[in-house]
Amino acid sequence: MSGSSSAEYVLGTNPRELDRLGFQHRVWANAAFSLWDRAGLVRGAKVLDVGCGPGFGSFDLAQIVGVEGLVVGVDESEPFIEHARGQARSRGMDHAHFGVGDVARLGEVVEGMGLGGVGFDLAYCRWVMCFVRDPRAVLESIRGVLGEGGVLCVQDYLGYVSMGFAPDVPSFAPIVRALGEAIRSFGGDPDVMRMLPNLAAEVGFEVSFLDRIQTPAARPGSLMWSWPATFWDVFLPRLVELGGVREAEYRDFMRDWAEISRNPSAIMHLPPVYEMIARVQ
Ligand SMILES: C[S@@+](CC[C@H](N)C(=O)[O-])C[C@H]1O[C@@H](n2cnc3c(N)ncnc32)[C@H](O)[C@@H]1O
């Protein structure tokens, strides 16, 4: 693992995280598709899914580009890549390939897969930059494997710790603080989108689109309300283990979370997700 990556994916690779990533992909799939479409994704394209996890986005991309295209997913978490490879086999998707490796060394990883010199048309990177130690190195690495006119699509957080509730849930304050600190302590940045457009320009991309993704308001009972809930299930017990949150703080919040989830007039302010399209200059 290089200096750009965390020691271990902070959320782990267990079946619950795999299930959470699948649900998360479904809830955010429309936003992903809109961005790919805006970036000019076409059938036959050669696409790189940077930090693909178990490949939920990769398989949508593989269906879009079709067998005349190519999708390559790269992730440092071996269990996720094993899962993706199994899926590719069982779906008979011979044009979807998956490799274990650091997204700051994509050139080496695709070379090792026998796909050096492909010159990708599009690279997609969702919720990965917030976990890496050196986003500039990752942008440079992506630029190095894109072909002429290749395009990078990123979706990631800006202002993660602005997450909260109306009416206020005071027991959430220590939790959201600890979430931000945990991401930073593993080398990531929960505000990474603040720096990415400038960094992209510095490493030779032309940023052509930048916006905040509009999502439906998260109201109790909605899918958007369940999105962070699946995250609490996976990560809050881990935060208690790691000492970032005290057992009593966790218990208080889970009690208040159950209560606000029964309040039909409640709203949750979700962590804002921004998106960027940047083209190789
Ligand atoms: C929140 S998941 C997102 C997965 C996928 N992009 C998606 O949107 O469903 C973050 C992924 O980034 C991967 N990751 C984090 N740092 C990495 C690095 N330096 N190199 C490769 N993968 C990395 C993790 O293993 C994990 O699968």
Side-chain angles (χ1 to χ4, degrees), residues 5 9 21 51-53 75-77 80 101-103 126-128 131-132:
S5 82
Y9 172 45
L21 288 172
C52 60
D75 200 285
E76 69 180 3
S77 300
F80 286 163
D102 185 349
V103 293
R126 179 179 61 183
W127 292 313
V128 178
F131 293 114
V132 303

mmCIF file of all heavy atoms in Angstrom, residues 5 9 21 51-53 75-77 80 101-103 126-128 131-132, ligand 1:
data_model
loop_
_atom_site.group_PDB
_atom_site.id
_atom_site.type_symbol
_atom_site.label_atom_id
_atom_site.label_comp_id
_atom_site.label_asym_id
_atom_site.label_seq_id
_atom_site.Cartn_x
_atom_site.Cartn_y
_atom_site.Cartn_z
ATOM 1 N N SER A 5 -2.781 5.815 0.480
ATOM 2 C CA SER A 5 -3.972 5.096 0.891
ATOM 3 C C SER A 5 -3.984 4.881 2.395
ATOM 4 O O SER A 5 -2.971 4.901 3.059
ATOM 5 C CB SER A 5 -4.064 3.768 0.156
ATOM 6 O OG SER A 5 -3.283 2.815 0.779
ATOM 7 N N TYR A 9 -9.365 0.044 4.663
ATOM 8 C CA TYR A 9 -10.584 0.812 4.407
ATOM 9 C C TYR A 9 -11.327 0.982 5.730
ATOM 10 O O TYR A 9 -11.662 0.001 6.395
ATOM 11 C CB TYR A 9 -11.431 0.083 3.361
ATOM 12 C CG TYR A 9 -12.784 0.653 3.139
ATOM 13 C CD1 TYR A 9 -12.994 2.026 3.012
ATOM 14 C CD2 TYR A 9 -13.904 -0.174 3.045
ATOM 15 C CE1 TYR A 9 -14.254 2.550 2.805
ATOM 16 C CE2 TYR A 9 -15.167 0.333 2.826
ATOM 17 C CZ TYR A 9 -15.332 1.703 2.717
ATOM 18 O OH TYR A 9 -16.585 2.214 2.519
ATOM 19 N N LEU A 21 -23.135 -0.817 0.891
ATOM 20 C CA LEU A 21 -22.689 -0.193 -0.362
ATOM 21 C C LEU A 21 -23.678 -0.480 -1.492
ATOM 22 O O LEU A 21 -23.899 0.371 -2.356
ATOM 23 C CB LEU A 21 -21.284 -0.689 -0.737
ATOM 24 C CG LEU A 21 -20.151 -0.145 0.147
ATOM 25 C CD1 LEU A 21 -18.831 -0.852 -0.179
ATOM 26 C CD2 LEU A 21 -19.984 1.360 -0.024
ATOM 27 N N GLY A 51 -11.565 2.888 -7.307
ATOM 28 C CA GLY A 51 -12.064 2.605 -5.955
ATOM 29 C C GLY A 51 -13.472 2.043 -6.065
ATOM 30 O O GLY A 51 -14.411 2.549 -5.462
ATOM 31 N N CYS A 52 -13.599 0.964 -6.839
ATOM 32 C CA CYS A 52 -14.920 0.445 -7.251
ATOM 33 C C CYS A 52 -15.658 -0.272 -6.134
ATOM 34 O O CYS A 52 -16.841 -0.578 -6.275
ATOM 35 C CB CYS A 52 -14.733 -0.520 -8.425
ATOM 36 S SG CYS A 52 -13.669 -1.932 -8.013
ATOM 37 N N GLY A 53 -14.987 -0.566 -4.988
ATOM 38 C CA GLY A 53 -15.632 -1.366 -3.947
ATOM 39 C C GLY A 53 -16.055 -2.712 -4.531
ATOM 40 O O GLY A 53 -15.367 -3.287 -5.383
ATOM 41 N N ASP A 75 -9.651 -1.549 -6.754
ATOM 42 C CA ASP A 75 -9.882 -1.242 -5.340
ATOM 43 C C ASP A 75 -8.818 -1.948 -4.514
ATOM 44 O O ASP A 75 -8.350 -3.028 -4.890
ATOM 45 C CB ASP A 75 -11.279 -1.711 -4.908
ATOM 46 C CG ASP A 75 -11.760 -1.023 -3.636
ATOM 47 O OD1 ASP A 75 -11.264 -1.367 -2.544
ATOM 48 O OD2 ASP A 75 -12.609 -0.117 -3.748
ATOM 49 N N GLU A 76 -8.472 -1.323 -3.383
ATOM 50 C CA GLU A 76 -7.435 -1.934 -2.542
ATOM 51 C C GLU A 76 -7.994 -3.052 -1.655
ATOM 52 O O GLU A 76 -7.225 -3.804 -1.072
ATOM 53 C CB GLU A 76 -6.781 -0.870 -1.661
ATOM 54 C CG GLU A 76 -7.699 -0.328 -0.593
ATOM 55 C CD GLU A 76 -7.071 0.732 0.288
ATOM 56 O OE1 GLU A 76 -5.920 1.110 0.063
ATOM 57 O OE2 GLU A 76 -7.768 1.178 1.209
ATOM 58 N N SER A 77 -9.318 -3.139 -1.523
ATOM 59 C CA SER A 77 -9.912 -4.122 -0.605
ATOM 60 C C SER A 77 -10.166 -5.430 -1.339
ATOM 61 O O SER A 77 -11.105 -5.555 -2.125
ATOM 62 C CB SER A 77 -11.225 -3.578 -0.024
ATOM 63 O OG SER A 77 -10.987 -2.391 0.686
ATOM 64 N N PHE A 80 -13.654 -7.147 -1.583
ATOM 65 C CA PHE A 80 -14.579 -6.495 -2.517
ATOM 66 C C PHE A 80 -14.276 -6.918 -3.956
ATOM 67 O O PHE A 80 -15.179 -7.188 -4.754
ATOM 68 C CB PHE A 80 -14.477 -4.968 -2.411
ATOM 69 C CG PHE A 80 -15.111 -4.381 -1.161
ATOM 70 C CD1 PHE A 80 -14.791 -3.088 -0.749
ATOM 71 C CD2 PHE A 80 -16.033 -5.096 -0.420
ATOM 72 C CE1 PHE A 80 -15.372 -2.536 0.379
ATOM 73 C CE2 PHE A 80 -16.626 -4.550 0.717
ATOM 74 C CZ PHE A 80 -16.288 -3.266 1.115
ATOM 75 N N GLY A 101 -5.588 -3.022 -5.985
ATOM 76 C CA GLY A 101 -4.461 -2.097 -6.025
ATOM 77 C C GLY A 101 -4.824 -0.730 -5.506
ATOM 78 O O GLY A 101 -5.988 -0.440 -5.206
ATOM 79 N N ASP A 102 -3.797 0.087 -5.424
ATOM 80 C CA ASP A 102 -3.916 1.438 -4.894
ATOM 81 C C ASP A 102 -4.293 2.394 -6.031
ATOM 82 O O ASP A 102 -3.644 2.393 -7.083
ATOM 83 C CB ASP A 102 -2.550 1.817 -4.304
ATOM 84 C CG ASP A 102 -2.563 3.151 -3.605
ATOM 85 O OD1 ASP A 102 -3.556 3.902 -3.733
ATOM 86 O OD2 ASP A 102 -1.570 3.450 -2.924
ATOM 87 N N VAL A 103 -5.299 3.214 -5.797
ATOM 88 C CA VAL A 103 -5.743 4.120 -6.859
ATOM 89 C C VAL A 103 -4.724 5.230 -7.149
ATOM 90 O O VAL A 103 -4.878 5.958 -8.126
ATOM 91 C CB VAL A 103 -7.136 4.724 -6.561
ATOM 92 C CG1 VAL A 103 -8.196 3.646 -6.591
ATOM 93 C CG2 VAL A 103 -7.151 5.472 -5.232
ATOM 94 N N ARG A 126 -16.244 7.622 -7.016
ATOM 95 C CA ARG A 126 -17.284 8.077 -6.079
ATOM 96 C C ARG A 126 -16.953 7.634 -4.663
ATOM 97 O O ARG A 126 -16.743 6.453 -4.393
ATOM 98 C CB ARG A 126 -18.644 7.492 -6.501
ATOM 99 C CG ARG A 126 -19.778 7.901 -5.573
ATOM 100 C CD ARG A 126 -21.114 7.336 -6.008
ATOM 101 N NE ARG A 126 -21.116 5.881 -6.018
ATOM 102 C CZ ARG A 126 -22.143 5.130 -6.423
ATOM 103 N NH1 ARG A 126 -23.236 5.706 -6.870
ATOM 104 N NH2 ARG A 126 -22.062 3.813 -6.400
ATOM 105 N N TRP A 127 -16.933 8.619 -3.744
ATOM 106 C CA TRP A 127 -16.688 8.373 -2.317
ATOM 107 C C TRP A 127 -15.412 7.561 -2.083
ATOM 108 O O TRP A 127 -15.390 6.618 -1.299
ATOM 109 C CB TRP A 127 -17.886 7.658 -1.660
ATOM 110 C CG TRP A 127 -19.089 8.538 -1.603
ATOM 111 C CD1 TRP A 127 -19.137 9.835 -1.187
ATOM 112 C CD2 TRP A 127 -20.424 8.205 -1.981
ATOM 113 N NE1 TRP A 127 -20.414 10.324 -1.292
ATOM 114 C CE2 TRP A 127 -21.223 9.342 -1.773
ATOM 115 C CE3 TRP A 127 -21.026 7.043 -2.470
ATOM 116 C CZ2 TRP A 127 -22.588 9.360 -2.039
ATOM 117 C CZ3 TRP A 127 -22.384 7.074 -2.738
ATOM 118 C CH2 TRP A 127 -23.145 8.205 -2.511
ATOM 119 N N VAL A 128 -14.373 7.940 -2.781
ATOM 120 C CA VAL A 128 -13.065 7.320 -2.597
ATOM 121 C C VAL A 128 -12.059 8.400 -2.200
ATOM 122 O O VAL A 128 -11.278 8.224 -1.255
ATOM 123 C CB VAL A 128 -12.595 6.623 -3.895
ATOM 124 C CG1 VAL A 128 -11.204 6.015 -3.719
ATOM 125 C CG2 VAL A 128 -13.586 5.542 -4.310
ATOM 126 N N PHE A 131 -11.289 9.248 1.304
ATOM 127 C CA PHE A 131 -10.569 8.279 2.136
ATOM 128 C C PHE A 131 -9.066 8.233 1.855
ATOM 129 O O PHE A 131 -8.349 7.520 2.548
ATOM 130 C CB PHE A 131 -11.133 6.868 1.923
ATOM 131 C CG PHE A 131 -12.548 6.698 2.414
ATOM 132 C CD1 PHE A 131 -13.583 6.460 1.535
ATOM 133 C CD2 PHE A 131 -12.841 6.793 3.770
ATOM 134 C CE1 PHE A 131 -14.893 6.307 1.982
ATOM 135 C CE2 PHE A 131 -14.135 6.646 4.234
ATOM 136 C CZ PHE A 131 -15.171 6.405 3.333
ATOM 137 N N VAL A 132 -8.593 8.915 0.816
ATOM 138 C CA VAL A 132 -7.172 8.756 0.456
ATOM 139 C C VAL A 132 -6.318 9.840 1.113
ATOM 140 O O VAL A 132 -6.785 10.934 1.383
ATOM 141 C CB VAL A 132 -6.958 8.750 -1.087
ATOM 142 C CG1 VAL A 132 -7.781 7.652 -1.742
ATOM 143 C CG2 VAL A 132 -7.252 10.095 -1.713
HETATM 144 C C1 LIG B 1 -17.302 4.166 0.255
HETATM 145 S S1 LIG B 1 -16.512 2.942 -0.704
HETATM 146 C C2 LIG B 1 -17.082 3.423 -2.328
HETATM 147 C C3 LIG B 1 -17.067 2.298 -3.315
HETATM 148 C C4 LIG B 1 -17.617 2.668 -4.708
HETATM 149 N N1 LIG B 1 -16.829 3.712 -5.324
HETATM 150 C C5 LIG B 1 -19.057 3.067 -4.634
HETATM 151 O O1 LIG B 1 -19.367 4.246 -4.809
HETATM 152 O O2 LIG B 1 -19.910 2.175 -4.381
HETATM 153 C C6 LIG B 1 -14.806 3.454 -0.737
HETATM 154 C C7 LIG B 1 -13.894 2.461 -1.433
HETATM 155 O O3 LIG B 1 -12.620 3.092 -1.626
HETATM 156 C C8 LIG B 1 -11.625 2.091 -1.513
HETATM 157 N N2 LIG B 1 -10.335 2.766 -1.306
HETATM 158 C C9 LIG B 1 -10.029 3.692 -0.364
HETATM 159 N N3 LIG B 1 -8.746 4.109 -0.526
HETATM 160 C C10 LIG B 1 -8.234 3.430 -1.595
HETATM 161 C C11 LIG B 1 -6.980 3.415 -2.252
HETATM 162 N N4 LIG B 1 -5.970 4.209 -1.881
HETATM 163 N N5 LIG B 1 -6.805 2.586 -3.304
HETATM 164 C C12 LIG B 1 -7.817 1.761 -3.710
HETATM 165 N N6 LIG B 1 -9.042 1.746 -3.138
HETATM 166 C C13 LIG B 1 -9.252 2.563 -2.087
HETATM 167 C C14 LIG B 1 -12.121 1.241 -0.358
HETATM 168 O O4 LIG B 1 -11.524 -0.039 -0.352
HETATM 169 C C15 LIG B 1 -13.617 1.201 -0.642
HETATM 170 O O5 LIG B 1 -13.966 0.091 -1.425
#
